[in-house]
Amino acid sequence: MGQKVNPIAFRTAAHKQWKSRWFAERKEFGNLLNEDLMIRDMVREKLKDAAVADIVIERYAQRARVSVYTARPGVVIGRKGEGIDKLREELSAKTGKEIYVEIKEVRNPDANAQLVAENIALQLERRVAFRRAMKRALQLAMDMGALGIRVQACGRLGGAELARVEHYMVGKVPLQTLRADVQYGFAEANTMAGKVGVKCWICQKPESAAPAPSKEKSYAPYA
């Protein structure tokens, strides 16, 4: 079952929250879903150097709020808010709706599954040894207080002729325990030998699963 069920969708009803928070009738649902996919692709393309961990979209009538979780908020905001203003204008022009962009900082990027997977993929593109990149990610995540981490890479690792799967795990990562706070991340590395897929599972401590709102640094959208 662990190979056939999406780790995020498997926990959405019990533990995780929806990444698109809105309701629509059947005739409008398809258009809004495609618009959400377009917004996410556009934000990730514009902010590909900003270490974007997650994108949450909320809708209110003809308005939408896009919350971007990033480890580098300064890159997104830009000088005097120019970056966030330009992103908001481009999204509004593309969708034809009023868009608010909110930036939220990821405190521990080394303990975020999506950012860890993207970091490993980036190192593979730079021809870093895959074992070194994966084992370093394990050590950093455990140093940040994670209960366990598992990373997996699949493809022509090290430029080999035959593709294979390599995975390493430290600590405990219960993939079928819904009570456990398990994060999942996936990234692809475009190496000289072809694409290499990287998956990451990180089990967080219960107290770190839901941080207090007062401790979360949030950047309000510009009017």
Side-chain angles (χ1 to χ4, degrees), residues 136-222:
R136 177 173 174 80
L138 297 179
Q139 185 63 40
L140 290 176
M142 296 302 292
D143 291 343
M144 297 305 296
L147 291 179
I149 175 175
R150 176 186 176 186
V151 293
Q152 176 178 305
C154 179
R156 295 182 58 185
L157 301 175
E161 292 187 5
L162 296 179
R164 67 183 190 275
V165 180
E166 292 275 350
H167 64 87
Y168 298 93
M169 186 176 72
V170 176
K172 60 177 183 178
V173 184
L175 297 183
Q176 295 182 354
T177 304
L178 295 181
R179 293 189 302 271
D181 181 18
V182 178
Q183 298 181 3
Y184 172 74
F186 172 76
E188 290 182 341
N190 298 317
T191 65
M192 297 294 294
K195 281 186 178 293
V196 175
V198 180
K199 295 181 179 180
C200 179
W201 297 262
I202 296 180
C203 182
Q204 299 283 1
K205 293 183 180 179
E207 58 269 16
S208 64
S214 59
K215 296 182 180 180
E216 185 181 60
K217 185 177 294 185
S218 177
Y219 298 86
Y222 287 80

Side-chain angles (χ1 to χ4, degrees), residues 120-139:
I120 295 176
L122 182 61
Q123 294 184 59
L124 294 180
E125 291 179 352
R126 295 176 178 175
R127 300 186 179 183
V128 176
F130 68 93
R131 289 191 181 91
R132 179 180 180 183
M134 295 169 70
K135 291 182 179 180
R136 177 173 174 80
L138 297 179
Q139 185 63 40

Side-chain angles (χ1 to χ4, degrees), residues 33-182:
L33 177 60
N34 290 329
E35 190 174 283
D36 279 9
L37 296 176
M38 183 268 296
I39 290 176
R40 286 193 170 91
D41 292 341
M42 189 173 178
V43 171
R44 290 192 180 277
E45 178 64 25
K46 297 291 183 182
L47 306 178
K48 57 184 178 180
D49 297 330
V52 176
D54 201 0
I55 302 172
V56 178
I57 300 176
E58 300 173 281
R59 295 183 181 274
Y60 314 92
Q62 293 299 317
R63 296 176 297 171
R65 179 183 295 272
V66 180
S67 299
V68 181
Y69 292 80
T70 174
R72 302 173 184 172
V75 176
V76 181
I77 296 174
R79 182 174 298 179
K80 298 182 180 180
E82 294 178 357
I84 193 172
D85 288 339
K86 184 178 180 181
L87 178 62
R88 177 173 56 84
E89 293 174 358
E90 292 179 355
L91 291 176
S92 298
K94 193 72 173 180
T95 60
K97 299 178 181 178
E98 189 176 0
I99 303 292
Y100 296 95
V101 179
E102 186 175 4
I103 308 301
K104 296 187 177 181
E105 183 180 5
V106 177
R107 293 282 184 160
N108 299 324
D110 293 326
N112 186 279
Q114 181 62 34
L115 296 182
V116 170
E118 292 180 359
N119 186 28
I120 295 176
L122 182 61
Q123 294 184 59
L124 294 180
E125 291 179 352
R126 295 176 178 175
R127 300 186 179 183
V128 176
F130 68 93
R131 289 191 181 91
R132 179 180 180 183
M134 295 169 70
K135 291 182 179 180
R136 177 173 174 80
L138 297 179
Q139 185 63 40
L140 290 176
M142 296 302 292
D143 291 343
M144 297 305 296
L147 291 179
I149 175 175
R150 176 186 176 186
V151 293
Q152 176 178 305
C154 179
R156 295 182 58 185
L157 301 175
E161 292 187 5
L162 296 179
R164 67 183 190 275
V165 180
E166 292 275 350
H167 64 87
Y168 298 93
M169 186 176 72
V170 176
K172 60 177 183 178
V173 184
L175 297 183
Q176 295 182 354
T177 304
L178 295 181
R179 293 189 302 271
D181 181 18
V182 178

